[in-house]
Every structure is written in structure tokens, then in C-alpha cells.
Amino acid sequence: MSSSEWSAFVGELGDITPLNQDTLAHRTNPDRDAASLAAKRSAAETPAQDSPLYLSLESVDLLHPDDIVGYKKDGVQEGVFKKLRLGHYPCEARLDLHDHRVEQARKALLDFIRDSLRQGHRSLVVVHGKGERSQPQALLKSYVSGWLKQIPQVLAYHSTQRHHGSTGSLYVLLRKSERAKQETRERHQSRLG
């Protein structure tokens, strides 16, 4: 734009007066906003169980029956993962998937995780079996290992120690519930006085 065009434009704006704003002041309710935010966050972190992409039944990377399996999300401390791997967390709930077809196992696992979260359990054992006689071998083991990675509330898992089933089962560590996080904060606050 040339300087003469700019001058003509500014001249045209000379008689314009700005409009007064007639909007209401924004009021917030901190309690409602916090609850709303928590509900939205929970919905965003939990994919719909009916979604075809959630815990897929399509393809899976096949494992060997004797493979040791382990996984931890970013942010999980090495000490916490080591304690899980060594079986030092008490088992609060157990799911046995022997004799389940893949579709049945998927539903049972989702229900088990949801119920465990509702009850405030964090340390679980999921028995999937080694799958030495299945065709292909370790099919259910492979699916369970893949599914657990997809569940946002699962922080880590690892093949269990021999006395808990070895490579035929997994220790699973779940995220703390909001209630448990609040109790921890209150406990720390009371110590600080």
C-alpha cells in the first residue's frame, strides 16, 4: 500500500467512533470449574471402550511363550518399576484369563481395570498363561501385553516372579485415583504442619 493510499484510508476512518462494549463480567465458580475440568480430563484420558481403536483385536506383535515382558510409561521412576518387577507391591486384585477367547479376554481385562480403579487398587496381577499350546503360540499373552500399553491408567507392567506365575502372568501398576492423590497431599501437609 502506498503512502497516499494509506492517507486516504486513515481519512475515511476519521469520523468513526468505537462502540461501547455491553458484555457482562465473567464470573467463575472455582468448585464447579475444578469438577468440570476433572471430568473433561478423565473423559479425554479414557478412550471409549466401544471405539474400534481402543484395545484393538486386529493385528498383534506375537511374543514367545517364555518371553519376559516389561513396560513403563515416561515419568515412572526406576525405583518404582524395579519394585514392581521384583513383586514387592502387595497384590490387591487378580484376574485369571485362562480359557478365555481373545474377545472375552479383552472385555474381562477392561472390566477388571475399571473395577480395580473404582476400588482404589493400584497393584494387580493379570494371569494370561504362556500359550504354549495355543495356535499361534502366546496369542493371549501377546494381546494382553499390547492392550495394557493402550490403557491410560496403566503406568507399568512386568512379567511376574516365578511364585506368581513367571512369564504366564503380569504385575500391573495403575495410576493413583484422585482421592488417593488428595489423601497423599493431605498427609504431606499435616507433616509439614
Side-chain angles (χ1 to χ4, degrees):
M1 182 180 281
S2 70
S3 62
S4 62
E5 290 173 324
W6 178 254
S7 297
F9 175 72
V10 171
E12 291 292 321
L13 295 178
D15 295 335
I16 296 177
T17 57
L19 295 174
N20 290 328
Q21 296 292 326
D22 62 350
T23 58
L24 296 174
H26 180 68
R27 294 184 183 150
T28 61
N29 179 341
D31 294 334
R32 192 189 91 234
D33 290 346
S36 173
L37 181 61
K40 287 177 185 177
R41 183 176 293 132
S42 175
E45 288 178 348
T46 308
Q49 291 182 12
D50 298 332
S51 167
L53 301 177
Y54 191 58
L55 303 191
S56 174
L57 295 171
E58 298 298 317
S59 64
V60 66
D61 294 330
L62 289 176
L63 300 170
H64 187 272
D66 293 321
D67 283 349
I68 294 175
V69 182
Y71 167 79
K72 74 178 184 72
K73 288 191 173 161
D74 290 339
V76 175
Q77 297 174 353
E78 282 302 321
V80 170
F81 188 61
K82 180 179 180 182
K83 194 172 175 181
L84 178 72
R85 181 174 47 84
L86 296 174
H88 290 171
Y89 288 112
C91 175
E92 297 172 304
R94 185 173 189 272
L95 173 66
D96 189 341
L97 295 173
H98 278 108
D99 301 323
H100 280 69
R101 291 190 325 267
V102 172
E103 297 84 7
Q104 293 171 320
R106 177 184 176 271
K107 181 178 180 346
L109 182 64
L110 284 170
D111 291 345
F112 177 65
I113 297 291
R114 185 182 61 244
D115 293 344
S116 295
L117 287 165
R118 190 176 301 129
Q119 294 174 24
H121 298 317
R122 295 203 56 219
S123 179
L124 318 172
V125 171
V126 175
V127 180
H128 47 65
K130 291 183 179 185
E132 293 171 321
R133 293 185 296 262
S134 69
Q135 287 303 320
Q137 283 191 328
L139 184 64
L140 190 54
K141 174 180 180 168
S142 302
Y143 271 109
V144 169
S145 296
W147 290 335
L148 287 171
K149 288 178 187 175
Q150 298 175 47
I151 299 174
Q153 294 82 4
V154 173
L155 294 178
Y157 63 83
H158 198 279
S159 296
T160 62
Q161 296 293 311
R162 174 170 276 154
H163 62 279
H164 286 132
S166 189
T167 60
S169 57
L170 296 168
Y171 296 125
V172 179
L173 183 65
L174 298 180
R175 190 181 303 254
K176 274 187 181 179
S177 68
E178 286 302 317
R179 185 183 72 217
K181 287 179 186 177
Q182 182 62 32
E183 289 170 0
T184 301
R185 282 192 289 271
E186 290 170 2
R187 198 169 48 247
H188 287 298
Q189 285 297 327
S190 68
R191 271 195 261 157
L192 296 174

